Amino acid sequence: MAGEKRVDREAWARVVKALMADATRGKIAPFARQVGVDPRTVSRWLAGAVDVSEESVRSVADAVHVPAMRLLVDVGYYSHTELAPAGDRDEELELVRDDPRLSSEKKVEIINFILERRERERAAALEETRRMIELMRDNG
């Protein structure tokens, strides 16, 4: 279908291989257990033999404690430009994207860093809000 978002199978295979190397020293069975799938599924991912859903990418990201948006960009499901808030320019991402002196690989590396930082900041802000709510309940 035209315009339908898809996970690039080859990119997903590279991502899975890298995640496996970090999480389980490249071993398929322990990685499969960690992410909650059958080892045959991991083998198919590595071979680029099956389509992968956004939900699967998000589940794997959660299981290995990696920001899901980073993986979704890495596998081509989203582009950097799609991640800017609707109606707002994302000057930080534009600065990276529009620099002609950076290779595509370096742009992806910098954008992944930015996305990871934003995810950490979002998580920290959420935790701070939870603590504030608890304090107010206790003093209320």
Side-chain angles (χ1 to χ4, degrees), residues 30-103:
F31 183 77
R33 277 192 299 278
Q34 183 175 349
V35 301
V37 299
D38 189 280
R40 291 174 292 205
T41 299
V42 175
S43 295
R44 290 182 190 116
W45 288 344
L46 291 169
V50 293
D51 285 331
V52 180
S53 68
E54 176 186 11
E55 182 180 330
S56 292
V57 175
R58 289 182 182 278
S59 294
V60 169
D62 288 344
V64 298
H65 311 293
V66 172
M69 291 309 292
R70 175 182 148 206
L71 294 188
L72 289 164
V73 169
D74 286 350
V75 300
Y77 194 84
Y78 289 113
S79 70
H80 327 302
T81 56
E82 291 178 285
L83 301 179
D88 292 339
R89 287 182 55 217
D90 190 324
E91 292 180 45
E92 189 176 22
L93 293 181
E94 284 179 13
L95 183 67
V96 176
R97 188 192 68 227
D98 295 341
D99 190 320
R101 296 167 295 175
L102 290 172
S103 68

